Amino acid sequence: MKVAITKDYDEMSAKAAEILIKQIKNKPNSVVGFATGKTVLGLYSHLASSKLDFSKIKTFNLDEYYPIERKDRNSFCYFMHKNLFNKININPENINLLNGEAKNPKKECENYEEKIKKNPIDLQLLGLGVNGHIGFNEPLAEKTSKTRFVELSQKTIKINKSKSTKALTMGIATIMNAKKIILLASGKNKAEAIKHLIEGKEDENWPVSFLRRHKNFVVLTDKEAGSLLHQ
Ligand code: GLP
């Protein structure tokens, strides 16, 4: 695990953009796992203004609320199109999103997992929940978990101001299979989860801590998110 505590949100976003841009330049048909949330917005605006050729990349998003319509402003589908996909030259056929409108959510997750198996993720981007969740792998999620249908914790429902109580998410094992992982964390409310990740041990109460074992894992935080670390 490589950790960089940057001076602020802008520096964190610029560093993350550098890594992503390098990945796509080196391998134009990279498979990229994208995430949603406020934390990744700075990075997405760098990518949108980069003029990089995204026409060959394939993407898999981490998670989605359930049930939710694609056009709902709270859906991750809406978020991704608004903040990134509509601003870059991505081929719409190469975009994979968990479908919050699926009739059979269990089947939707199984199919998604299969598709990822056939298109292994080169670089997975992650945000971080205040409670240490990654994707929607809430505390007590198993490290062997695959893409699946889950219940959200009360804490997440409150923090995300979510109308949905359920979601579809890649599992911990799905995420761990990515060749490279970059996690971004910004703000004081992420500091406790970052401390568990960097200075703690593997702990199912803090799902992010499972990533400690990943061989090619970069953590980028701003000063606030890194403020509880002993340096
Ligand atoms: C949601 C998503 C997570 C994301 C988190 C962080 O809960 N399921 O994948 O990491 O939000 O959001 P923010 O960046 O807004 O703090």
Side-chain angles (χ1 to χ4, degrees):
M1 167 166 64
K2 271 195 211 139
V3 184
I5 300 165
T6 59
K7 75 171 192 297
D8 57 20
Y9 179 81
D10 290 342
E11 191 181 291
M12 178 191 77
S13 304
K15 267 193 187 287
E18 241 173 65
I19 300 174
L20 256 119
I21 290 170
K22 193 169 154 211
Q23 168 73 36
I24 297 169
K25 276 191 176 153
N26 287 345
K27 186 178 176 192
N29 63 346
S30 289
V31 181
V32 183
F34 279 121
T36 50
K38 278 197 227 70
T39 315
V40 293
L41 283 174
L43 160 64
Y44 289 173
S45 80
H46 276 284
L47 294 182
S49 57
S50 69
K51 304 216 166 68
L52 187 67
D53 179 14
F54 292 91
S55 64
K56 295 196 179 63
I57 68 164
K58 267 194 193 148
T59 70
F60 285 91
N61 258 78
L62 258 184
D63 50 9
E64 180 59 281
Y65 292 115
Y66 187 87
I68 198 159
E69 286 188 32
R70 290 188 188 86
K71 63 171 196 278
D72 190 315
R73 298 177 84 85
N74 296 308
S75 79
F76 290 165
C77 176
Y78 182 89
F79 176 101
M80 287 309 298
H81 283 87
K82 175 170 181 256
N83 296 302
L84 185 64
F85 296 153
N86 292 348
K87 300 179 173 175
I88 60 176
N89 69 334
I90 193 163
N91 177 353
E93 284 174 14
N94 291 342
I95 297 173
N96 295 283
L97 289 151
L98 282 155
N99 180 6
E101 298 178 17
K103 293 244 154 42
N104 183 340
K106 206 170 156 253
K107 192 84 203 133
E108 169 68 14
C109 292
E110 285 167 11
N111 293 343
Y112 202 73
E113 183 75 25
E114 276 309 302
K115 202 161 181 193
I116 293 175
K117 222 180 252 166
K118 289 187 192 128
N119 299 275
I121 295 175
D122 291 300
L123 193 160
Q124 177 67 53
L125 175 68
L126 295 176
L128 176 63
V130 173
N131 64 353
H133 75 209
I134 44 171
F136 276 130
N137 294 283
E138 297 278 38
L140 305 185
E142 291 181 23
K143 62 178 169 187
T144 53
S145 55
K146 303 274 173 62
T147 305
R148 69 204 188 291
F149 186 33
V150 294
E151 300 267 343
L152 299 177
S153 68
Q154 286 308 315
K155 193 165 179 178
T156 296
I157 293 169
K158 201 169 153 207
I159 292 172
N160 289 17
K161 299 191 186 77
S162 166
K163 288 190 208 98
S164 317
T165 58
K166 296 186 172 70
L168 313 173
T169 183
M170 282 185 200
I172 307 268
T174 323
I175 294 168
M176 287 293 283
N177 268 335
K179 288 176 200 145
K180 185 179 181 85
I181 300 177
I182 307 178
L183 179 132
L184 302 187
S186 158
K188 190 122 199 113
N189 62 348
K190 305 290 172 76
E192 198 184 353
I194 284 293
K195 189 172 171 64
H196 280 276
L197 165 63
I198 294 168
E199 293 177 357
K201 53 179 182 355
E202 219 174 81
D203 176 353
E204 59 184 5
N205 292 303
W206 295 91
V208 68
S209 66
F210 287 127
L211 300 178
R212 295 171 64 86
R213 282 182 301 123
H214 196 278
K215 298 274 184 303
N216 193 354
F217 177 34
V218 178
V219 182
L220 296 174
T221 80
D222 62 6
K223 264 213 186 85
E224 286 75 28
S227 61
L228 293 179
L229 299 172
H230 296 108
Q231 307 206 22

